[in-house]
Amino acid sequence: MAAAPGTRRAAVIQIALMAAVILFCVFPFYWMVTTSLKTQVLALESPPVWVFEPTLANYRSVLTEDGVGRTLVNSLIVAVSTTALAIALGLPAAYALARFEFRGKKDLWFWFITNRMISPIVLALPLFLIVRKLGMLDSKLTLILIYLTFNLPIVIWICTDQFRSIPVELDEAASLEGASHWRVFRSICLPLAMPGVAVSAIFAFIFSWNELMFALVLTRNAAKTAPAMAVSFMEGYNLPYGKIMATSTLIVIPVLIFALIASRHLVRGLTMGAVK
Amino acid sequence: MSIRARRRTILGFLSPAVLALALIGIAPLLYAFWTSLHFFNLTKLRHVEFIGLENYGTVLGDPVFWEAMGRTFTLLLIALPLQIALGLGIALILHRPGLGFLKTLTRLSLVLPMATTYAVVGLLGQVMFNLKYGVVNQLIGFLGIAPVNWIGDPLNAFAMIIFWDVWQWTPFVALVLLAGLATVPGEVEEAAQLETRNWWTVLRHVQLPFLIPGLVAVLILRTADTLKLFDMVFTLTRGGPGSATELISLMIQRVGFRAFDQGLASAQAIILLIITIILAQAYIRLFYKEV
């Protein structure tokens, strides 16, 4: 099909605009990675240099000397455990919400949406006092449990949606054969709901991995997560820019990979299903 | 199945999650309410004293609280229109037919900012907007603009916060609106495009009605997210210089953990919670009719 001159010009404009959007989105990451490959002397060059000999020295020093590796492991343990726990607790609840009618259903939904919107500081104030009283400050277990406040709603919400998409007739047929509700849930619906489970796990992982407020308030040293560690580089003058960007890169890579995997579901998840 | 057995089944499925939520989600809120009714300072824990609604009176008459609220809504009122305008533009570009590969690439790029750890966005801001070593001043220098003191100047620091909020959340708005555009029936859109070559007319009279639900969702969620906004601003400016970028969540954090006045901070938090509940109610009414 031969394009009219007008449409060809429109196509050129379209390409240029898309390139601009990509550049706008990606440039900060480019700058983050290149800065992480600069020595401190290079990073403090004014104006900044664009072409230089890259070095992995910052990665070596943050991982070996500054203990960023340990905080990344903490983040990983916390994020994986809280995700697993959210799925174990959330899946049966999601099944019940999808399959049964009961009083209080509305209140449960209301609670989920409120949790999507609530500022973490509202919970961080009382949780700090409670956790301190229980002597559970600076513990990974504390973070794992507290992260359920935002992970459970997201898991339950996404999985309820997934269970609803499975035909009820399957359940009914199995019930006629004499299977219990638990059996139907485990052997019939759960395997079919796996895509939703995977998406909700990715969401829970991303949110937990990115979390800063609770980590800042409730951990000191032993349970410090990577974002809290990155923030602690920001003290004093002459900030170690290369190290900060190396740490940032290490933090951001896993979430970006997961986000790309789940990209088709991101909007649905962030709006709790209001936008499909 | 008998009603009792049925009830037991439902309870069995639900209770683990509900108990967990009650324990870690609701109990703390009740405790925060209790704290808000007391004089409760972390440095004077021997003098915890019931003072009724006094903290609430203090908050409501406190210019610092209202200024923080004002800043939070100023940010929202500047950033959100920018995000909607830019997001709509991006959505319309991506909605045009053709250029499959480049479009996929654009879509994937859009996913990156909103998944980025908020704290890292703040750190990136520190590096890129630095007065002397920052790339932003270098880039605007090419346009003949003198270096700007972004982090040290109240107004510039606020502009910088707006920039990063727009960077991180314009993609979200774009993808929401793109999803809305996809719900316009193809025939209707094509008929309209045969009728007029003016994209604005098509947008206003054909596409806009299908975008309204997405726009309302964006409005409510962005309001809630701005009230939540903490990490990025904390790592970028700590609310400074002075209190120029101290949004509501940062202010409550400062009062509770740096001024140690947990009673007052809890009262502020409860007020914030009430606003959140109103937003959540609106969201439910509008989007979950079947629940």
Side-chain angles (χ1 to χ4, degrees):
Chain A
M1 190 178 78
T7 56
R8 181 177 303 161
R9 212 186 58 189
V12 170
I13 294 175
Q14 192 185 3
I15 291 173
L17 289 175
M18 281 202 257
V21 171
I22 295 173
L23 195 68
F24 180 67
C25 291
V26 172
F27 182 75
F29 298 105
Y30 167 79
W31 201 255
M32 173 178 75
V33 173
T34 51
T35 307
S36 78
L37 301 172
K38 287 177 177 174
T39 61
Q40 177 72 353
V41 178
L42 262 177
L44 294 184
E45 200 77 36
S46 176
V49 286
W50 291 61
V51 183
F52 60 94
E53 183 106 13
T55 164
L56 287 174
N58 289 317
Y59 290 90
R60 259 197 301 279
S61 76
V62 294
L63 287 175
T64 56
E65 291 157 32
D66 301 314
V68 169
R70 201 171 50 85
T71 61
L72 284 167
V73 172
N74 280 347
S75 279
L76 187 70
I77 294 173
V78 169
V80 170
S81 315
T82 188
T83 300
L85 195 56
I87 285 181
L89 296 172
L91 272 177
Y95 180 75
L97 280 166
R99 286 295 191 255
F100 303 121
E101 282 310 317
F102 52 88
R103 256 186 315 154
K105 211 169 167 175
K106 253 202 169 82
D107 303 313
L108 223 52
W109 277 98
F110 168 61
W111 200 84
F112 296 156
I113 304 297
T114 308
N115 251 282
R116 158 74 180 76
M117 298 183 173
I118 199 171
S119 173
I121 188 64
V122 175
L123 283 169
L125 289 168
L127 281 170
F128 169 74
L129 298 175
I130 295 169
V131 166
R132 202 180 57 142
K133 205 164 245 169
L134 296 173
M136 283 178 70
L137 280 177
D138 206 15
S139 136
K140 287 193 271 290
L141 181 64
T142 304
L143 288 185
I144 291 168
L145 292 175
I146 286 172
Y147 286 1
L148 287 177
T149 51
F150 50 84
N151 285 334
L152 258 181
I154 196 80
V155 166
I156 295 178
W157 175 74
I158 291 176
C159 293
T160 303
D161 215 37
Q162 179 77 56
F163 282 128
R164 279 201 186 123
S165 73
I166 300 169
V168 186
E169 290 76 33
L170 284 178
D171 294 35
E172 284 161 1
S175 294
L176 285 179
E177 304 269 311
S180 67
H181 274 291
W182 180 250
R183 187 76 205 283
V184 173
F185 162 68
R186 244 194 35 203
S187 316
I188 297 179
C189 290
L190 202 49
L192 291 171
M194 271 310 160
V197 176
V199 170
S200 62
I202 288 178
F203 265 98
F205 183 89
I206 293 178
F207 287 146
S208 316
W209 183 269
N210 282 351
E211 204 284 327
L212 177 68
M213 169 81 80
F214 294 124
L216 217 53
V217 169
L218 300 172
T219 69
R220 294 288 171 274
N221 193 9
K224 203 173 202 172
T225 62
M229 178 75 204
V231 173
S232 62
F233 275 124
M234 307 302 292
E235 317 271 305
Y237 293 97
N238 267 340
L239 301 172
Y241 288 112
K243 282 185 178 187
I244 292 171
M245 289 296 97
T247 308
S248 299
T249 307
L250 292 170
I251 294 173
V252 152
I253 284 173
V255 280
L256 293 191
I257 292 172
F258 276 130
L260 289 175
I261 295 173
S263 64
R264 283 191 312 120
H265 308 279
L266 218 55
V267 165
R268 216 162 55 94
L270 284 171
T271 58
M272 300 288 277
V275 176
K276 297 243 157 44
Chain B
M1 193 165 40
S2 75
I3 290 175
R4 270 188 56 191
R6 192 183 149 77
R7 186 174 289 166
R8 222 175 17 226
T9 314
I10 297 176
L11 220 60
F13 276 102
L14 273 180
S15 52
V18 170
L19 277 177
L21 290 181
L23 217 63
I24 52 162
I26 294 175
L29 293 180
L30 296 176
Y31 189 57
F33 183 64
W34 182 88
T35 312
S36 75
L37 300 177
H38 289 73
F39 173 83
F40 195 123
N41 192 303
L42 284 177
T43 56
K44 302 185 188 96
L45 283 176
R46 279 157 197 264
H47 302 285
V48 174
E49 186 192 338
F50 180 79
I51 53 169
L53 294 174
E54 201 183 304
N55 281 325
Y56 289 90
T58 311
V59 174
L60 294 177
D62 184 2
V64 174
F65 177 80
W66 292 109
E67 279 162 22
M69 266 304 182
R71 275 189 287 272
T72 309
F73 279 94
T74 306
L75 172 64
L76 182 71
L77 287 177
I78 299 174
L80 188 59
L82 283 171
Q83 287 159 349
I84 290 177
L86 291 170
L88 184 60
I90 295 170
L92 287 171
I93 296 168
L94 288 175
H95 186 62
R96 283 175 59 100
L99 300 169
F101 174 71
L102 194 59
K103 241 188 240 169
T104 310
L105 206 63
T106 313
R107 258 172 193 270
L108 289 178
S109 313
L110 288 173
V111 165
L112 301 177
M114 52 178 159
T116 307
T117 315
Y118 311 104
V120 167
V121 177
L123 298 176
L124 261 168
Q126 283 262 4
V127 172
M128 292 176 65
F129 280 82
N130 187 285
L131 173 62
K132 247 175 95 188
Y133 320 117
V135 66
V136 171
N137 277 344
Q138 184 183 28
L139 291 176
I140 64 171
F142 294 145
L143 302 173
I145 301 171
V148 174
N149 184 359
W150 293 105
I151 296 168
D153 174 83
L155 219 57
N156 294 339
F158 201 79
M160 184 173 62
I161 301 288
I162 293 170
F163 172 86
W164 286 110
D165 197 62
V166 168
W167 178 77
Q168 197 166 23
W169 295 108
T170 296
F172 168 69
V173 178
L175 292 177
V176 168
L177 295 180
L178 185 61
L181 287 175
T183 61
V184 183
E187 323 83 77
V188 177
E189 205 176 277
E190 278 157 33
Q193 272 156 351
L194 286 179
E195 199 74 19
T196 173
R197 292 188 56 83
N198 187 337
W199 63 271
W200 176 249
T201 313
V202 178
L203 176 65
R204 259 206 62 191
H205 297 288
V206 181
Q207 293 166 324
L208 193 62
F210 294 89
L211 295 180
I212 297 289
L215 282 171
V216 174
V218 160
L219 181 70
I220 297 177
L221 291 175
R222 289 309 305 145
T223 307
D225 287 346
T226 308
L227 290 169
K228 267 168 91 159
L229 185 56
F230 175 85
D231 301 6
M232 180 265 276
V233 184
F234 184 78
T235 41
L236 189 44
T237 65
R238 300 255 155 136
S243 55
T245 55
E246 194 175 76
L247 306 180
I248 189 75
S249 290
L250 279 103
M251 195 265 304
I252 300 178
Q253 192 264 358
R254 177 175 60 77
V255 172
F257 291 111
R258 284 184 274 169
F260 305 117
D261 196 338
Q262 290 278 328
L264 190 64
S266 296
Q268 294 167 334
I270 295 291
I271 293 172
L272 189 56
L273 175 68
I274 292 168
I275 300 174
T276 311
I277 286 175
I278 295 168
L279 286 171
Q281 279 291 3
Y283 202 69
I284 287 199
R285 293 255 164 88
L286 289 164
F287 294 108
Y288 299 93
K289 293 184 189 80
E290 80 274 20
V291 175

